[in-house]
Amino acid sequence: MAGFDKVVTSYADAMHGLEDNMTIIAGGFGLCGIPEGLIAEVKRMGTKELTVVSNNCGVDGFGLGVLLEDTQIKKMVSSYVGENALFEKQLLNGELEVELTPQGTLAERMRAGGAGIPAFYTATGFGTPVGEGKESRQFNGRDYILEEAITGDFAIIKAWKADRYGNCMYRHTAMNFNPMAATAGKITVVEVEEIVETGELEPSQIHTPGIYVDRVIQGSFEKRIERLVTSKGA
Amino acid sequence: MALTRDQIAMRVAQEFKDGNYVNLGIGIPTLAANYVPKHIEVMLQSENGLLGMGPYPTEDQVDADMINAGKETVTAAPGASIFNSAESFAMIRGGHVDFTVLGAFEVDVSGSIASWMIPGKLIKGMGGAMDLVAGAKNIIVTMTHADKHGNSKLLPACTLPLTGVNCISRIITDLAVLEVKDKAFHLRERAPGVSIEEIIEKTAGKLVIDGDIPEMMIG
C-alpha cells in the first residue's frame, strides 16, 4: 500500500489487527449486501468475545450466523434476530447477549458515530422497553429519548465497485446499512465485487468517499437469497 | 360475516389517496398493495432503502441485490429510488411517509400499540416498527378484532410491551373500522352482516357508537 492506495490482496491483511473483545460493525440487511469473505475470515481467525453490530445476524450456516458456530460473538446489537436456531439456543443458554435497537435508531446511531455526534434525540421507542433507563426530554410538546452513537474497532462493508482510493458505490438495495457502517469503524474494510482504477468512478456517483475506507479487497460472492419470491410475469 | 385477510386488505386500500407514499408491514398490510384502486397512484416504501417497490420479479428478473423489508426478492417500479438505511428512516421519522399500515397484538384507547414482543416467548426484535409508528402521519393497524380464544385485542390499556405510545389513529379489523380519539374507540363502519352487538362484545376498551354505523363497501 502506498499513498491513497487502499487495496490489499489477502483476507489476512484485510482483517489484520482484529483481536478478542473488539467491536465489529457489519453492513447488510438480512443476507443482502453482506461482506461474505470478511465474515469468513473472522471465522477463520477464531477471534472471540466479539460485539457485533448489524441489523441481523445472518442465518444458520451463512452470513454472520457462521460466527455463532464457534461462539465467537459475545454480544449482538441488532433490530431483528431469530432467523437462526443457533442464535436462539445461545441466547436462551446465556452464551450470547443481545441489545435490540429499533432499525432506524440503529442506522442513525452508526451515522452519528461516524459523524462525530455522541448522541441524539428520537421519538422512536419513547414509552416502550427501548426507552427504559434512557434520558428523555420534550421538544415542542413531544417526548424524545436520548440514543447514543455507535463506533466500532472494525467496520466490515460490502460494496459493488470501489477504486483503489477506496471510493465506493453500492448496487440496489445491497446498499442498506453499508454507507453508515463504513463511517463508524476505526478500521473500515470494504469487500467489493470489482476494483476499478482510480478515476473510473464518476465522482458525483460515489456513495462512500474513500476517506472513510482503510482497506479494499476484491471478493467473490455467493449472494444467497433468503426469500426467493417470483411472479409468473406477463 | 367477519372479513377475510384479503377483504381487510381491500378495505385498507380504500384509505389511500392519489399520490400517497405508503409503507406496508408484513402480512395483511402487504396484501393491500394488490387492491389499490385503479384510478390512483401510490408509491410503496420499503424501509431497507427502496421507494417505489414494484411487483415480485419473474424468474429472469431475480436479483439478490434487490429485496424488500421482508427479505423477499422484488423489483423497482418506474420512478423508484434507492438509498441507505439512515436516509430511509429519515423519511419515515421525518413524517414524509403518508401512511404506515402494520399488524398488532393489541391496541388501546390511547392509541398505543403492542406488536413486537410477548414476554416468555422468544424475542426476535422490533425491526423498523418503532420508527414507523413514531414517524408516519397516519398509521393504520390491521388485525383480527379478537384473538383465537375470543379475547379482545382492543383494550382499555395494552398489557404487552409497547411498540409506540399515542400514535394509532385508525384500526381496520375483520369486524369493523374504528377511529381512536379522546381515549375511546369510535366505531365508523362494520363488516357486512356483522352486528353492532358482536362488535360491542369483542371490544374491551371504551367504544363510542354515534348514530347509524354503515357497512363497509368491500369488493
Side-chain angles (χ1 to χ4, degrees):
Chain A
M1 280 194 285
F4 295 108
D5 192 343
K6 313 280 175 77
V7 175
V8 296
T9 52
S10 75
Y11 281 100
D13 286 343
M15 293 308 294
H16 178 74
L18 181 70
E19 292 171 10
D20 291 357
N21 292 299
M22 282 189 165
T23 295
I24 299 177
I25 303 182
F29 183 93
L31 302 181
C32 183
I34 58 172
E36 297 177 16
L38 298 176
I39 293 167
E41 177 62 15
V42 176
K43 179 171 172 63
R44 193 199 63 77
M45 291 169 78
T47 321
K48 299 270 188 185
E49 301 286 307
L50 294 170
T51 295
V52 177
V53 182
S54 186
N55 191 55
N56 316 94
C57 191
V59 297
D60 285 316
F62 198 71
L64 291 168
V66 302
L67 301 184
L68 298 168
E69 293 165 2
D70 304 314
T71 53
Q72 291 178 264
I73 303 177
K74 172 183 63 179
K75 181 180 177 183
M76 196 71 213
V77 181
S78 300
S79 86
Y80 193 85
V81 292
E83 305 284 9
N84 31 16
L86 195 52
F87 191 98
E88 183 177 337
K89 181 169 163 270
Q90 293 185 7
L91 191 62
L92 293 174
N93 70 19
E95 288 175 298
L96 178 65
E97 184 191 343
V98 63
E99 176 185 335
L100 291 170
T101 185
Q103 195 175 140
T105 297
L106 180 62
E108 197 64 15
R109 290 176 71 190
M110 289 183 195
R111 199 191 74 80
I117 295 168
F120 57 91
Y121 284 101
T122 177
T124 303
F126 177 84
T128 78
V130 166
E132 280 168 20
K134 287 176 186 153
E135 195 178 319
S136 70
R137 185 171 160 184
Q138 281 202 346
F139 295 92
N140 302 314
R142 192 164 184 210
D143 294 303
Y144 296 81
I145 58 172
L146 190 66
E147 290 279 8
E148 292 186 14
I150 295 176
T151 55
D153 298 294
F154 272 77
I156 57 173
I157 306 302
K158 153 72 192 355
W160 177 37
K161 292 181 179 182
D163 65 20
R164 303 188 75 86
Y165 283 13
N167 294 304
C168 298
M169 288 173 68
Y170 306 94
R171 186 170 175 275
H172 299 337
T173 60
M175 182 186 303
N176 56 63
F177 283 83
N178 281 296
M180 284 74 61
T183 66
K186 285 194 191 88
I187 297 175
T188 291
V189 189
V190 183
E191 186 181 19
V192 298
E193 291 181 46
E194 187 183 354
I195 297 175
V196 302
E197 286 309 315
T198 300
E200 267 187 53
L201 300 178
E202 170 64 35
S204 64
Q205 301 297 309
I206 286 165
H207 295 118
T208 293
I211 192 168
Y212 296 111
V213 175
D214 299 285
R215 303 168 190 168
V216 175
I217 186 163
Q218 170 77 53
S220 63
F221 297 87
E222 176 186 332
K223 292 199 188 180
R224 192 178 294 186
I225 291 173
E226 201 163 339
R227 298 206 175 96
L228 178 66
V229 185
T230 56
S231 64
K232 290 277 185 283
Chain B
M1 278 282 286
L3 301 185
T4 64
R5 287 161 56 87
D6 274 281
Q7 287 173 320
I8 297 173
M10 282 179 209
R11 181 60 192 80
V12 168
Q14 293 172 16
E15 300 285 316
F16 304 153
K17 294 184 181 65
D18 198 21
N20 278 168
Y21 296 100
V22 177
N23 182 292
L24 302 177
I26 292 163
I28 294 172
T30 299
L31 297 175
N34 301 330
Y35 300 108
V36 174
K38 291 279 179 279
H39 61 280
I40 71 165
E41 281 190 281
V42 303
M43 201 176 274
L44 301 178
Q45 205 259 13
S46 187
E47 64 265 25
N48 58 317
L50 170 62
L51 181 63
M53 183 166 53
Y56 292 122
T58 61
E59 280 184 26
D60 293 345
Q61 291 173 323
V62 168
D63 185 334
D65 291 339
M66 199 64 214
I67 65 167
N68 64 19
K71 293 157 190 154
E72 301 168 325
T73 46
V74 284
T75 59
S81 54
I82 291 173
F83 33 81
N84 67 54
S85 300
E87 181 82 54
S88 183
F89 283 93
M91 61 184 74
I92 289 166
R93 212 188 294 103
H96 306 279
V97 174
D98 296 299
F99 275 104
T100 279
V101 187
L102 78 169
F105 301 137
E106 297 174 344
V107 176
D108 70 26
V109 295
S110 303
S112 295
I113 172 175
S115 68
W116 70 285
M117 174 182 175
I118 298 178
K121 291 199 178 174
L122 184 74
I123 302 155
K124 293 193 166 190
M126 68 294 284
M130 286 191 183
D131 307 278
L132 282 158
V133 299
K137 281 179 243 172
N138 293 290
I139 302 164
I140 301 172
V141 167
T142 62
M143 60 183 192
T144 56
H145 214 94
D147 68 19
K148 58 179 182 249
H149 306 294
N151 301 312
S152 179
K153 296 182 180 180
L154 290 88
L155 305 175
C158 289
T159 62
L160 295 170
L162 297 177
T163 309
V165 292
N166 312 330
C167 54
I168 306 303
S169 50
R170 216 161 171 78
I171 306 167
I172 300 180
T173 75
D174 54 340
L175 304 182
V177 176
L178 307 104
E179 207 173 319
V180 189
K181 64 171 189 181
D182 306 328
K183 301 272 177 195
F185 300 113
H186 295 251
L187 185 60
R188 295 300 183 218
E189 297 173 22
R190 59 199 168 89
V194 167
S195 68
I196 300 279
E197 288 69 31
E198 182 178 356
I199 295 167
I200 292 171
E201 185 200 332
K202 289 184 174 166
T203 306
K206 185 181 175 189
L207 180 67
V208 174
I209 302 166
D210 261 338
D212 282 343
I213 305 299
E215 289 192 349
M216 293 181 213
M217 303 288 283
I218 298 290

